[in-house]
Amino acid sequence: MASITAAGAGSGLNVEGIVSGLMSVERQPLTKLQTQASKYNTQVSDIGKLTSALSSLKTAAQKLSSYDFLDANTASSSDTTIIGIKADGTATNGTYAINTTQMASPQADVFDLSGMSADGKLTFGTDSTSPATITVNGKSVNLGTGTVTLTPAELAAKINSAGVGATAMSITDKTGQQRLVITGQKTGATDGVLGATSFDTLSSGNATLNATASQAPKNAEFTINGISAVSQSNSISDLVSGLTFTLQKPGVASVTVGRDDDAIAKKVDDFVTSYNAVVAQLTTMKSGSFGNDSLLRSVKDQLYAAVSAPTDKTNANPGPADYSPLANFGIKLGVGGSLVFNKSDFTKALGKNADAVKAAFASNAEGVTGTVNNLTDPDKGLVTNRKSTLDANVKANTSKQDLMSAQLVKTEARLRAQYGALDASLTKMQTSLASMKSMLGIS
């Protein structure tokens, strides 16, 4: 009967140990390739992060070189209880005097309620199978099926849940008269007009329109810098471009629109933050996968040259004072090549000479944008080319690993065959030797 034995079980030869030891030597080149691949992959990831940081820097720089860099503004009201104001940052600087004489209001129809039951209810509908409906603002409101009894408050709730563009409220005046007030949801002499309201299915009780207590819709009436104006709404966004006025009550107040130094400084701070993010990524790459690679120094030097270049590029012999012009406007060199932004210094410079600030930032920001474009140019960019080289290295490394892995499989099979045959030969020799000893009586 045939038996299954492990390699080396017959002769005592440790085939597994021998093959394993030899294969560990054979696998060393593959291990080196795997280590190299790990480094390549880390470098590819780091280059990707650097490219992303450069893209963010370019976006921030473009905001500083844009024609509307200093166009951000803010608006304030002298009395927010009379007029509220909201600016989108594009309005023209100036002061607007507002005198509101009439607020825009909706139509309000008042109905006197009478003839109610002893428990204070109105009855609608008579047919037990037909819906009891009323009309509010020209739209049908279903109160229920058959005969429906409702208090004024319950009737108001039914109207309010119907979504007819009007709201209802039940009140009792000082004489004890119960009333139902239906108010439109839009204001203005035109927009605020309510459609018809009728209580056709009211079968017990009365709802009579009180024309005296009712109110017609009105436009807002006001003057702006002495010019008369009207509006269908108390929220007015088509009066001055970039501003939304909200009339709160009749009265006089002024709105002042001025440059928003905080918003402008935020653009500069975003630029500095983006620049420092690139520097931080370069520092991380130097201490990690790239070491002292010249790429890192080149990128850093080119960016700093752009951000510190003289504003007047036509000057053939710029002096020391011409370099790092942004230092005069709150941006200075910090530790490790990063930039430091002093908002107070920037705001002071902005107040002193806004045109000089705009010119300096436009010049240097354009330089930074151009530098980023050069570094990431698809065909010849320094960063882009390194990414292409690394991608090629990863591909070549993968091919080598695949080829070597296939070869190792063959090598292991060959070694197992060789040492398996040796094990079989030794086993056969040991068996023959044992037989001879037995024949000779040798123990």
Side-chain angles (χ1 to χ4, degrees):
M1 178 181 295
S3 62
I4 300 175
T5 59
S11 67
L13 182 66
N14 185 4
V15 175
E16 287 295 334
I18 294 172
V19 172
S20 177
L22 291 173
M23 286 306 299
S24 66
V25 175
E26 294 286 341
R27 288 193 181 95
Q28 287 179 0
L30 177 61
T31 301
K32 290 181 179 179
L33 284 175
Q34 292 170 337
T35 301
Q36 189 179 56
S38 177
K39 181 179 179 180
Y40 285 153
N41 288 329
T42 301
Q43 288 180 326
V44 168
S45 176
D46 285 341
I47 281 288
K49 292 176 182 178
L50 176 60
T51 302
S52 178
L54 287 170
S55 177
S56 297
L57 174 60
K58 176 181 174 180
T59 299
Q62 287 174 329
K63 292 180 180 179
L64 302 189
S65 60
S66 173
Y67 71 93
D68 61 355
F69 169 39
L70 301 183
D71 287 353
N73 54 40
T74 185
S76 60
S77 171
S78 63
D79 190 337
T80 56
T81 66
I82 294 177
I83 186 166
I85 188 67
K86 182 179 180 182
D88 66 5
T90 65
T92 302
N93 294 345
T95 300
Y96 305 91
I98 310 294
N99 182 6
T100 304
T101 55
Q102 177 176 284
M103 299 287 290
S105 60
Q107 180 175 332
D109 291 339
V110 180
F111 293 88
D112 292 338
L113 305 180
S114 61
M116 292 182 286
S117 62
D119 56 356
K121 293 185 177 182
L122 298 167
T123 302
F124 297 85
T126 55
D127 190 328
S128 61
T129 60
S130 299
T133 60
I134 61 174
T135 301
V136 177
N137 194 23
K139 299 178 180 65
S140 179
V141 177
N142 190 344
L143 302 179
T145 302
T147 301
V148 179
T149 59
L150 299 169
T151 65
E154 291 170 339
L155 175 59
K158 289 279 189 180
I159 295 172
N160 291 335
S161 64
V164 294
T167 56
M169 178 175 60
S170 170
I171 63 173
T172 303
D173 67 15
K174 62 182 180 179
T175 67
Q177 172 66 55
Q178 289 241 318
R179 290 176 171 173
L180 183 70
V181 181
I182 298 178
T183 305
Q185 293 178 344
K186 295 182 178 180
T187 61
T190 300
D191 295 344
V193 174
L194 279 174
T197 296
S198 63
F199 302 92
D200 296 337
T201 61
L202 183 58
S203 57
S204 177
N206 299 292
T208 306
L209 178 64
N210 186 327
T212 302
S214 297
Q215 296 179 357
K218 298 178 182 179
N219 288 331
E221 297 180 358
F222 57 95
T223 62
I224 176 168
N225 289 349
I227 301 174
S228 297
V230 296
S231 172
Q232 293 278 338
S233 171
N234 291 313
S235 179
I236 309 165
S237 58
D238 57 358
L239 189 63
V240 177
S241 178
L243 296 179
T244 298
F245 299 88
T246 302
L247 307 181
Q248 307 284 16
K249 67 179 181 180
V252 178
S254 62
V255 169
T256 301
V257 181
R259 188 181 63 212
D260 190 346
D261 288 354
D262 286 340
I264 297 171
K266 178 65 165 56
K267 297 179 184 179
V268 179
D269 188 54
D270 288 344
F271 168 77
V272 170
T273 298
S274 297
Y275 185 96
N276 290 342
V278 174
V279 173
Q281 178 59 26
L282 292 172
T283 302
T284 298
M285 293 166 70
K286 182 177 181 180
S287 62
S289 64
F290 277 77
N292 291 318
D293 195 303
S294 61
L295 169 72
L296 309 183
R297 172 56 63 184
S298 181
V299 171
K300 192 172 184 179
D301 287 349
Q302 288 185 48
L303 287 175
Y304 183 70
V307 83
S308 61
T311 301
D312 183 6
K313 295 178 175 57
T314 63
N315 185 355
N317 298 298
D322 295 313
Y323 285 93
S324 301
L326 299 188
N328 298 319
F329 308 119
I331 294 183
K332 297 181 180 179
L333 185 63
V335 177
S338 63
L339 299 180
V340 178
F341 177 51
N342 187 307
K343 181 180 177 182
S344 177
D345 289 348
F346 172 79
T347 303
K348 289 177 182 177
L350 191 61
K352 184 178 180 180
N353 191 339
D355 289 339
V357 171
K358 184 172 184 178
F361 276 94
S363 175
N364 289 93
E366 286 173 358
V368 170
T369 299
T371 299
V372 173
N373 285 338
N374 291 336
L375 289 171
T376 58
D377 183 274
D379 297 322
K380 56 183 180 181
L382 192 62
V383 175
T384 307
N385 285 346
R386 179 58 64 88
K387 172 68 163 53
S388 298
T389 299
L390 287 171
D391 287 340
N393 289 342
V394 169
K395 184 176 180 180
N397 180 280
T398 300
S399 296
K400 289 180 179 178
Q401 285 194 54
D402 291 342
L403 183 63
M404 190 168 290
S405 294
Q407 185 61 43
L408 287 172
V409 171
K410 294 179 181 179
T411 299
E412 184 172 0
R414 176 175 56 78
L415 290 174
R416 287 189 178 279
Q418 289 177 349
Y419 284 95
L422 177 60
D423 176 48
S425 296
L426 290 175
T427 300
K428 186 176 181 180
M429 291 174 62
Q430 289 174 348
T431 301
S432 297
L433 180 60
S435 177
M436 292 177 62
K437 285 183 178 182
S438 178
M439 292 175 60
L440 297 172
I442 301 174
S443 57

